[in-house]
Amino acid sequence: QVQLVESGGGLVQAGGSLRLSCAASENIFSFNSMAWYLQAPGKRREFVASITSGGSTNYADSVKGRFTISRDSAKNTVYLQMNSLNPEDAAVYFCNAERRTLRVYNYWGQGTQVTVSS
């Protein structure tokens, strides 16, 4: 069973930075892509950023220029560097891993809370 463990969330002032980590129990290159999503209270889960096994990245418009997704293959870990945080970024952030074979398998972490004070 694939396990994804997020860490790095916390409380930060507006304008500050946080780095989230997602440690995978398997080789991250075994997944077609890995991504970060956020979910604010009472709202749907939203895409934030992704990175493919080939290294291509994609970002939601709301975070372009502020957030950076990266990975460390030796640690089987994907990161989300978040800069210039604002209160609208506050949410639970989830790590996702997608594997496509004959079917599409999606795996999720338990989430990490990010709180931004104004």
Side-chain angles (χ1 to χ4, degrees), residues 1 5-6 12 16-17 19 21 25 35 39-40 42 44 47-48 51 56 58 64 68 71 83 91-92 94 99 107 118:
Q1 181 70 13
V5 180
E6 301 102 330
V12 64
S17 299
R19 188 178 80 157
S21 299
S25 60
Q39 188 166 19
R44 295 172 56 184
F47 170 78
V48 176
I51 184 166
S56 297
N58 191 30
K64 283 180 180 176
T68 302
R71 63 191 176 189
N83 298 328
V92 178
F94 294 91
R99 178 177 288 149
Y107 305 97
S118 58

Side-chain angles (χ1 to χ4, degrees), residues 34-55:
M34 296 191 70
W36 288 95
Y37 287 74
L38 66 82
Q39 188 166 19
K43 296 189 176 181
R44 295 172 56 184
R45 194 167 294 187
E46 300 176 2
F47 170 78
V48 176
S50 65
I51 184 166
T52 69
S53 57

Side-chain angles (χ1 to χ4, degrees), residues 54-109:
S56 297
T57 58
N58 191 30
Y59 296 92
D61 287 343
S62 60
V63 306
K64 283 180 180 176
R66 299 189 299 124
F67 291 11
T68 302
I69 189 169
S70 63
R71 63 191 176 189
D72 185 335
S73 57
K75 296 181 179 180
N76 286 328
T77 299
V78 173
Y79 302 99
L80 184 68
Q81 177 67 44
M82 306 187 295
N83 298 328
S84 301
L85 285 161
N86 58 62
E88 290 71 35
D89 297 317
V92 178
Y93 283 71
F94 294 91
C95 180
N96 166 269
E98 183 177 285
R99 178 177 288 149
R100 297 190 292 272
T101 57
L102 295 178
R103 295 174 53 186
V104 178
Y105 296 88
N106 271 287
Y107 305 97
W108 294 93

